Amino acid sequence: MICSCLVLASGLAGAQGPAELTAVEVRARAENLEGIATAASEGVVSSQRLAALPILRPGEALEMVPGLIVTQHAGDGKANQYFLRGFNLDHGTDFATSVGGVPVNMPTHAHGQGYTDLNFLIPELIEQVRFRKGPYYADEGDFSSAGAAHIDYFRRLNGPLAQLTAGQGGHRRGLLAGSPALGDGRLLYGVELFHNDGPWDVPENYRKLNGVLRYSQGTRLDGFSITGMAYQGRWTSTDQIPQRAIDSGTVGRFGSLDPTTGGRSLRHSLAAEWAGRGDASQTRATTWWLRSSLDLWSNFQYCLGDYAASGSCATGDQFRQSERRHAGGFDVSHTLYGRWAGIELENTIGLQGRVDRIGPIGLYASRARDTYANVREDAVTQRSLALWAHNETRWTSWLRSIQGLRADAFDFRVDASTAANAGTASGQLVTPKLALILGPWRGTELYLNYGHGFHSNDARGTTIRVDPANPGASAARVDPLVRTRGRELGLRGAPLPGWQSTLTLWQLEAASELLFVGDAGTTEPSRPSRRHGLEWTNLYTPTDWLAVDADLSGSHARFTDRAPEGRHIPGAVSTTANLGLTVAHLGPWFGAARLRYVGPRPLTEDGSMRSRASALANLRVGHRFDPRTQLTLDIYNLFDRRANDIEYGYASQLPGETAPVFDRHLHPTEPRSLRLTLSHRF
C-alpha cells in the first residue's frame, strides 16, 4: 500500500508549530513506498489518518490495515478477535504486533496462542503503523504468516494535550499528554483514565488506568529512546450466548447467562531503542522487558460439563484461566550500502532473541469466580533465537530483487502438575524469502513474492502425554513449529491524478493448523489448509476538501485434505470492505464517515451453518472553536443495525436441558451510541 495518508485534525502531527491543534486538512501525504517496499501489500498508516477514525475500541486502530477486521466476543478488557486473509486469527495467532519495540503477541498463553491484548494502546499518541502481509520478510518471525503491524508512538507532540470524553453506557475517558524538553531530548508522557459499562444487562464496569513515559533524543535513524508503559484493567464480561436462549426469552440480546465472568489484566514494559547511521551503513538495536498477568473467568458451555460429570447443574461450567509472565528480548541489525560492478547493493544481517518465563499458568474450574478444582497448572520456560539476512540488489532502474533467509530455534521446558505432561522439547526451522520488483513505470510497480513462514505452538502441547482433565486418556503431542508458505502478485500505481491504488493476488498454505485449546487444557491437531484471495486498496483525493478511501478484499479458505466432516475452515471470512469519506475546509467544521462490511463465514466444517453478514457505519462530526480547542461527536453503529460482532457454532447445555444442543452462539454488536470529546492544547 502506498503510504498516502489523510491528514485530519490530529493535533499531534506538527512537531515545530505553536501549541495548537493541527488545522484540518485533506491531502495526499508525500511519503510513499515506491522503490522501497518489498510487497504491494506493505504500507504505512500515519497519525493523521488514524485521527480521522471514530474508534470504538483501541484495537480498532489496526482496521486501517487493509482487510483486517477487529471485533470482540466477550468483555472489552479481553484481547480483541482479529480476521485477515481468510484467517480467524482468534486473539492474534498468525498476525504479529509490536508497540514501541515490544512484542504484543504472547506465546504459550493461558487463553490462546499468540494472545494480542491492545487495550493499553493510546490512539492519540500513535505516530505511525507500519504493516506487512505474508511471510516475505526475513526480519519477521513467529506469528507473522498472515501479516505484521509495528506501532510506534510520537517522540514529540505539538504542545500539551488534554481530552475529556463522555458517552452513553457510562463511558468516561480522560487523557493528558505532552512532551516537554528535557536536556538534549524530549520527555513524552501520556496518562489515561477510563470507565465503561456498555449496553449490557450486566454492566461491564470496565476500569482502566494506563500510562506511557518515553525519553528520546535524535531521530529513529540516528538517535535513541527509552520507553516505559504501564496498564491495568478490570471488567465484568458478557460472553457469547446461544441463539435459543434469546429466542426463548431466557435472556435478551445483551443479556448474560453467567454474571460473574470477566477478568483482570496487568502489563508493564520497558524498552530501549538505538539507531546509528554511518557513511554507508545503518545499525539498529532494541532490547525490551515485559511483565504481565491475566485472570480470566469464562463460561461458554454453561452446564454441559457439569451435567456430564454429576447429572446436574450445581456448579456450572465456568472456568478460570490464569498466568503470570516475565519476558525479555532483543533485536539487532546492521545494514551495509554499496555498489558492485555498478549495481547498487544493500546487505542486512540481524539477530533476535526472546525468553518467556511463565508461571504459574493454569486452567481451573470455578463458580462465581471461586476456584474449586485444578485442571492443570504448569510453569514454562520458552526460549527462541533467530539469525536472519537479506540482500537487495538494484539490477537496473526498473528491476530489483530481495533475497532473504531466516533460521529460528526454539526451546521449551514444561514443569506440569501432571508429571506425565512435563518435559522438554525443541524445534528449528529455516525459511527462505524472495521478491522481484519491476518498475516504476509512470509511478507503477509490479511485485512478485514467495516465502516461507511459521508459527509456534503452545509449549504445553509439545510435551503433553495425557489429558489433564482425564489422566487415563492419552493426548497427542504437536510439533513445536508449523511451516507456512505464501505467494503474492501485486501492483501499485496512480491510474489518475489524486487516485492511488494497490491490487494484490495472494495465496497462503499451512502444513497443519495445530492449536493448543486453553479452554480444555489439551491440544487438538487440525488439518493442512490453503487460502487465496484478492485485495484492492484505494485512496482518491479529488479536491483539497474531500478524500475517499476504499479497501476491498475477498478470500477462499479450505482444508486441503478430505474428511467426512467437510473442508470448510470455521470462522474464515470470505469478503470484507472498509470504506471511508473525509471532508475538511468547511469553515470550522470537519468530519468523516466509515462503513465496514464483513461477509458471511462458515461456522462448521461442512458449511451447513454460516454466520450472518454485517454492515456497520460510524460517523464523526467536529467543530473547531479556535486553533487550540475543538469538540468532536462520534456516533457508532449510525443506523442502529442489529448485527453480531462474532458467531460460533458448537454444542452447549443450559440449565433444565436434558442433552447438549448444537447451536449458534453470538455476541451482539453494540447498538447506536454517542460519544462527545473536548480537546484543548495548552
Side-chain angles (χ1 to χ4, degrees), residues 361-364 374-379 414-422 466 468:
I361 175 172
L363 175 65
Y364 313 90
N374 181 342
V375 179
R376 74 173 297 169
E377 185 175 86
D378 310 285
V414 179
D415 297 313
S417 55
T418 302
N421 290 333
V466 300

Side-chain angles (χ1 to χ4, degrees), residues 50-98:
L50 289 172
L53 302 178
I55 293 177
L56 183 66
R57 306 178 181 100
E60 290 183 4
L62 287 183
E63 286 203 342
M64 284 295 94
V65 176
L68 181 62
I69 299 297
V70 180
T71 185
Q72 183 57 271
H73 77 94
D76 280 340
K78 188 178 179 180
N80 294 113
Q81 191 100 6
Y82 305 93
F83 298 88
L84 177 69
R85 287 195 163 183
F87 279 88
N88 176 354
L89 297 166
D90 194 39
H91 297 293
T93 301
D94 290 308
F95 190 81
T97 307
S98 70

Side-chain angles (χ1 to χ4, degrees), residues 611-651:
S611 72
R612 299 175 178 88
S614 67
L616 300 176
N618 296 332
L619 178 68
R620 167 168 289 186
V621 178
H623 184 275
R624 293 173 59 87
F625 297 101
D626 58 53
R628 299 190 181 193
T629 308
Q630 69 183 34
L631 189 66
T632 304
L633 174 67
D634 291 331
I635 306 176
Y636 304 96
N637 194 359
L638 178 64
F639 302 112
D640 204 21
R641 296 292 297 270
R642 190 182 174 92
N644 297 323
D645 269 348
I646 197 72
E647 295 181 31
Y648 301 104
Y650 62 84

Side-chain angles (χ1 to χ4, degrees), residues 141-152:
D142 201 3
F143 305 121
S144 64
S145 291
H150 302 289
I151 302 170
D152 203 8

Side-chain angles (χ1 to χ4, degrees), residues 120 122 125 153 188-191 210-214 227-230:
F120 68 92
I122 301 178
L125 299 186
Y153 283 155
L188 171 74
Y189 65 86
V191 179
N210 197 14
V212 177
L213 193 65
R214 163 180 279 184
T227 306
M229 304 184 197

